[in-house]
Structure formats: structure tokens, C-alpha cells
Amino acid sequence: MNDPIDLYVGCYTLKLSEELDGKGPGIVLANYDPQARSLTARLVAKQRNPTYLTMHPTLSVLYAVEELALSDEPRVFAYQIEADGGLTLLNSQPVHGAFSCHLAVIQNHLLVANYGSGNVDTYPLGAKGRLEEPLPITQHIGSGPNPQRQEGPHAHMVMAFNDELIYVADLGIDRCKAYQLAESGLLERPALDLRLPAGSGPRHLVRHPQLPIAYVLTELSGEVIAFQVGETTDQIQEVRFFPEGTSGIPSGASIRIDAEGRFLWVSERTSSTLTQFAIGDDGSLRHYHTYQLEDRTPRDFDLIGPWLIVAGQDSNTLSFWEQGKDDVWECRSTHRDVMTPSCVVGR
């Protein structure tokens, strides 16, 4: 617990709306010293709105995408990670969608979820992790009952459920669309779509590490909905994480599960809370603890080594939590050194 850790932080750099005015510099490398409880940060890539980052699973390569309107000509980037943590640009490709919000490396391809246009870009990766010309775009269609947020499709996350099944969570159509990756691109598998309640707005999802269960975080209704996935899909549980008595509307953000499948966490932006669920042997969820955060608008958090790290978008904070007595986590320090953080990933 006393070893320093490095993490990359994507920071909004531009104003996207009245609610989101980016003040950050780009991609920041942050070093946290647990003994001194100090954080040092340095800019390693000056990029517009790098709202999501992901690592190559076997190469020292970091991928980053710009969240921008199509008229701003957004791009996705591949960076070589140097020995000191610095980033050297390998190459970039145009993004064929608006307001990109998630990346995932799956079967030697980088998949990009584009929220604004409701589609997915699929880029084959070269031998050194370079981005090659994209495969045909996967376009979602449809809408939901919420006229402000579900006027059309909004692809929000891409996740590999297993070697033959990929899910794309779409907030606008209340569905996690099922696909299989082929040489020609993503092939639909509609029988395995996860169909969410109308108006719930699925945003992110995770898979249980041992059981064939997907847990979907709904942004608009503030719930985690569990599905058993086999030859078909069945909803098996629905639990609420939007705190009772909270004014305003739910705004679920991120969901994580530990490698042992013991606990699941979700962040909620309206209340600035983190909720921890215990996971039973059968995959069922039970509320375990809710944490009030100093971090306002906790857009992202992650489990990196022994730490749970929260990024507070509107408080310009990173908070470092460690496991305490009876599996209840404790905040060790909060740092106001990173402006408008959007996501964190371990080096």
C-alpha cells in the first residue's frame, strides 16, 4: 500500500455546454505517493477533450479519443508509453461520429462508442498498436421515451462479454446491443440484446468475472440491472443506487467490479456518491455501503492496484481510497491538482 502509483488522467479542455466547461490541459500523468499523501502531475499530451483512455492489453500503448462535434473533426490517438511515462504519438485516425465517450481494445481492434451520433467505430490494430483504417461504421437506430435525453441513439460504452459476444450500451434506445466481431466489422446478434426498462438509459456495464452475468448501470433511472446471459438473456435483479431523499434526477456515471467478484461499485453525479454492493455466490447484489464524496460530479473512478481512485469533474479532484475494516473503504487523501478530469487509467 505504500508504493507510489502512476495513472493517466484525461481532462476536458474545451467548453461543451453550460454545465461542462473544460479547463484541463489534455492527458496528464499523475504520480501518487501514499506515504507522503502527495500527488504530482505533468502534462504528457496536449489533446482536445480526451474524455476516455484505455491501455493496450500487451503493448505499452495508450489510446485516447476526443469528445467533439463532427464539425470539429475529432480523432482517436495511439500513443507509445515511454519509460518515464511520457507519451509519443504513434498515429491517429478520424472518428466518424460525434461526442465520443468510450474506448475498448477487443480482439486486436479498438472500438469507439460515439454518443452524439449513436454509432461505433472499429479500428484494426497493427503490430505495434497503430490504428489502421476503420471497418464499416456500426450505426444504431431508434429512440426512447425521454425527449431530452433519448431523442435518438446514444452509444455510450463497448464491452467484451466473452470471445464471441460484445455489448454496446446505448442510452438512447434502452438497450445493450449484442454483436460479434468479424473481418467485415460488427455483426448483430439480436437474440442476445439486453433490453432495459423504457426510459432507464443504460450507460455502462461490467461482467461478473466467473459467472455469465452482466450488470448494467442505468444513467437516467439510477439502477443496476443484472442479466443472466446464455443462449438467451434474462433479467434477474434490479437494485437502486440513487440515494433516497436526493433532490434532482439521477445521473449514474461509472460501474466497476473487483477481480474476485466480491463487490461492485457505482458512482452517481447528482448526489456525488459512490455505492458499494456485495455480490453473492449466485451473483445477486446486496447494498453494502454508500460513501459521500468530496469529489463533485464523479464522472469516473477505477480500481488501480490496491486503490480506488475517484475523478471529480466539477471539483477538479482526484481522491484515493483504500480498503478498511470489514471491507468498508476509507478516503486517504483528496487532491485538487487536475482540472476537469474525465477518466483515469492505471499505467
Side-chain angles (χ1 to χ4, degrees), residues 177-215:
K177 295 274 290 177
Y179 295 98
Q180 185 171 355
L181 184 59
E183 290 185 5
S184 59
L186 294 178
L187 304 180
E188 291 188 70
R189 301 185 64 185
L192 294 179
D193 283 359
L194 306 181
R195 293 168 171 81
L196 283 296
S200 59
R203 177 183 171 96
H204 281 193
L205 71 162
V206 293
R207 184 200 161 143
H208 191 286
Q210 289 87 36
L211 302 174
I213 297 175
Y215 302 98

Side-chain angles (χ1 to χ4, degrees), residues 92-144:
S92 67
Q93 291 282 359
V95 174
H96 304 95
F99 302 108
S100 307
C101 57
H102 191 266
L103 300 171
V105 178
I106 300 173
Q107 299 173 32
N108 206 40
H109 292 71
L110 183 74
L111 280 71
V112 181
N114 301 312
Y115 177 88
S117 48
N119 57 16
V120 179
D121 280 315
T122 303
Y123 301 87
L125 299 178
K128 295 184 179 180
R130 293 172 62 90
L131 296 159
E132 298 184 350
E133 292 292 322
L135 302 178
I137 297 168
T138 301
Q139 180 66 54
H140 291 180
I141 58 174
S143 60

Side-chain angles (χ1 to χ4, degrees), residues 271-285:
S271 60
S272 292
T273 54
L274 187 72
T275 299
Q276 179 183 5
F277 294 95
I279 305 174
D281 292 340
D282 60 352
S284 60
L285 300 177

Side-chain angles (χ1 to χ4, degrees), residues 135-184:
L135 302 178
I137 297 168
T138 301
Q139 180 66 54
H140 291 180
I141 58 174
S143 60
N146 185 323
Q148 285 76 41
R149 298 296 310 278
Q150 296 182 308
E151 79 295 341
H154 293 303
H156 219 310
M157 181 188 187
V158 182
M159 184 198 77
F161 188 81
N162 56 37
D163 291 341
E164 298 181 349
L165 180 60
I166 294 168
Y167 278 118
V168 178
D170 193 306
L171 181 145
I173 62 176
D174 291 320
R175 186 171 296 194
C176 295
K177 295 274 290 177
Y179 295 98
Q180 185 171 355
L181 184 59
E183 290 185 5
S184 59

Side-chain angles (χ1 to χ4, degrees), residues 6-9 27-31 40-42 44 84-86 347:
D6 288 335
L7 59 146
Y8 291 104
V9 186
I27 302 175
V28 169
L29 175 65
N31 175 268
T40 57
R42 65 184 174 100
V44 288
D84 65 351
R347 180 184 166 192

Side-chain angles (χ1 to χ4, degrees), residues 310-332:
V310 181
Q313 174 189 298
D314 291 337
S315 52
N316 304 314
T317 54
L318 295 179
S319 288
F320 291 77
W321 294 68
E322 66 176 348
Q323 191 173 17
K325 184 179 178 182
D326 297 327
D327 294 311
V328 174
W329 289 62
E330 301 172 355
C331 184
R332 293 307 181 200

Side-chain angles (χ1 to χ4, degrees), residues 232-301:
T232 59
T233 62
D234 296 296
Q235 181 178 324
I236 57 176
Q237 192 181 15
E238 184 176 312
V239 294
R240 188 169 174 82
F241 62 82
F242 190 61
E244 293 290 337
T246 302
S247 60
I249 60 174
S251 185
S254 189
I255 182 170
R256 304 288 181 181
I257 191 170
D258 64 26
E260 294 76 30
R262 295 183 62 234
F263 292 100
L264 179 142
W265 294 263
V266 293
S267 64
E268 205 287 315
R269 290 171 289 186
T270 299
S271 60
S272 292
T273 54
L274 187 72
T275 299
Q276 179 183 5
F277 294 95
I279 305 174
D281 292 340
D282 60 352
S284 60
L285 300 177
R286 174 178 59 86
H287 179 268
Y288 196 78
H289 200 84
T290 296
Y291 306 89
Q292 187 64 54
L293 303 173
E294 289 188 42
D295 314 275
R296 287 189 292 112
T297 318
R299 179 182 174 86
D300 193 31
F301 70 96

